[in-house]
Amino acid sequence: MEKSTGLPPKISATVDLDGAGVQHGHLVIPHSRNDSPWGSILMPISVIAGGEGPTILFTGGNHGDEYEGPITLMNLVRELRAESVRGRVIVIPALNYPALRAGTRLSPIDGLNMNRVFPGRRDGSVTEMIADYVQRVVLPRADVVVDFHAGGKVMTFLPMAVMHRLPDPAMMERTTAALHAFGAPVGLVLEELDAAGMLDTAVEAMGKVFISTELGGGGTVSRETLAIARRGVSNLLVHFGLVDGAIEGPGRTRLMEAPGAESYVVARGSGLYEIIAEPGEEVREGDPVGRIHDPERPWAEPVLCKAGMEGLLVHRHVAGHVQTGDCLAVVARDLA
Ligand code: CA
């Protein structure tokens, strides 16, 4: 821990996080630069609070090239009325706001990945300051956190809600119930390869329910993925008792797991990626999911990329160029 963590965050809010009614405003992030020496970044936040009840935090744009979250959450803050809410809904449509503005995964200001900097740093760069504010001001107020992701420009996923395998059985049960309530076609229980610095980890360490998503990708959205996101938000508000209504499409989620390294197909070469298997297709262990052509040696046999286990392909690389070490595909299996 740094000495500075005893001080309040450098970011301030123009909304009262503990206030009632509908408030739209900004997190004011100090950002001195050549073209604006005393400038700041105004990052949108909305708080919609009614009567007694839990607090749910929705975040999108953790990565700036994933759009279902931001679009769905912008629709939410315009439509949700305080009178229909029991509890509090805090919405940050774009958590890495500078990245969303630039349409890039990482922040164009400091090059940082929002989902690798938690718990953040008060005296750090813009991305670190945002994480520090969320960690120390927003998360302690939340009972449930839902963080929207998609594949971004270079990956695509079968639309799914995602949770981690949790050591506490009671938390595992609560989170699995929320995953089912979200109602995506697939609910993936993930074993993270590197969980340090993630918002997920920060929330789970506080003993709160955390749900994430991977909805499509390719740097765009589809009607299908937007409909899933919209239904997911509405279902979770009902599930946690914040609004009245019925869960739409209950029981449709296929619960699956990505148990470990064998789920991930990693590129063993660089070059042009020929797709063999698409997300949604079942594969057996050893089945080729794609192959990599070396443009400098067109006559050479392409490098085969094989599934490490039997299951459903839930992700694939989108970009035509791949490099050694890229994650090309993810295979998931039904959770027993
Ligand atoms: Ca992401």
Side-chain angles (χ1 to χ4, degrees):
M1 280 280 164
E2 295 174 32
K3 272 184 289 180
S4 64
T5 49
L7 301 169
K10 281 188 178 170
I11 294 176
S12 58
T14 65
V15 295
D16 177 3
L17 289 177
D18 301 317
V22 174
Q23 302 174 73
H24 304 300
H26 297 97
L27 301 181
V28 181
I29 309 163
H31 182 44
S32 176
R33 51 194 197 271
N34 280 334
D35 61 336
S36 184
W38 288 8
S40 50
I41 297 166
L42 300 182
M43 177 168 141
I45 182 171
S46 295
V47 182
I48 298 129
E52 284 296 302
T55 294
I56 186 163
L57 166 67
F58 289 110
T59 54
N62 183 324
H63 295 128
D65 60 350
E66 305 173 4
Y67 302 114
E68 282 83 359
I71 290 171
T72 302
L73 297 179
M74 288 190 265
N75 286 332
L76 176 70
V77 299
R78 288 196 323 276
E79 292 168 6
L80 194 59
R81 301 278 166 264
E83 307 85 76
S84 55
V85 173
R86 279 184 308 272
R88 173 171 54 179
V89 183
I90 303 176
V91 185
I92 304 176
L95 192 58
N96 198 336
Y97 183 62
L100 184 93
R101 295 285 304 271
T104 53
R105 176 175 173 84
L106 312 177
S107 172
I109 296 173
D110 53 26
L112 289 177
N113 181 342
M114 177 61 73
N115 223 23
R116 296 293 183 275
V117 301
F118 277 85
R121 290 198 303 144
R122 178 188 187 272
D123 299 318
S125 64
V126 167
T127 308
E128 292 170 317
M129 277 193 277
I130 295 171
D132 172 62
Y133 183 88
V134 170
Q135 172 83 30
R136 293 198 287 143
V137 178
V138 186
L139 294 189
R141 289 173 160 81
D143 301 294
V144 177
V145 178
V146 183
D147 186 35
F148 280 92
H149 286 255
K153 281 179 182 156
V154 301
M155 308 201 291
T156 192
F157 288 88
L158 211 59
M160 55 194 185
V162 181
M163 64 175 282
H164 290 127
R165 188 171 293 289
L166 303 167
D168 175 10
M171 279 309 292
M172 189 75 195
E173 198 174 317
R174 282 190 71 196
T175 309
T176 307
L179 200 71
H180 276 292
F182 188 92
V186 169
L188 187 71
V189 179
L190 196 63
E191 207 79 62
E192 206 71 52
L193 295 182
D194 175 18
M198 297 179 76
L199 171 60
D200 319 39
T201 310
V203 176
E204 287 162 3
M206 291 184 187
K208 297 159 190 285
V209 172
F210 183 86
I211 293 278
S212 172
T213 71
E214 293 293 358
L215 302 170
T220 185
V221 294
S222 69
R223 277 191 303 188
E224 183 201 6
T225 53
L226 285 172
I228 292 167
R230 185 183 186 90
R231 187 179 66 218
V233 166
S234 158
N235 279 353
L236 288 177
L237 289 174
V238 172
H239 176 75
F240 286 105
L242 281 107
V243 304
D244 289 326
I247 302 280
E248 222 186 303
R252 69 169 68 208
T253 296
R254 179 176 175 184
L255 206 59
M256 308 194 81
E257 65 173 347
E262 66 265 38
S263 287
Y264 300 87
V265 181
V266 176
R268 303 291 176 199
S270 302
L272 303 185
Y273 189 47
E274 177 186 347
I275 288 293
I276 294 176
E278 292 282 1
E281 292 178 16
E282 304 277 347
V283 293
R284 288 164 306 176
E285 183 181 345
D287 277 356
V289 300
R291 48 189 201 159
I292 302 167
H293 297 264
D294 180 354
E296 293 180 6
R297 298 188 309 134
W299 44 84
E301 274 302 311
V303 177
L304 268 185
C305 312
K306 296 176 181 172
M309 59 176 247
E310 181 175 355
L312 182 74
L313 206 69
V314 296
H315 154 272
R316 80 161 171 93
H317 200 76
V318 166
H321 281 267
V322 299
Q323 293 183 36
T324 301
D326 285 351
C327 177
L328 300 178
V330 176
V331 182
R333 68 183 176 207
D334 287 306
L335 203 59

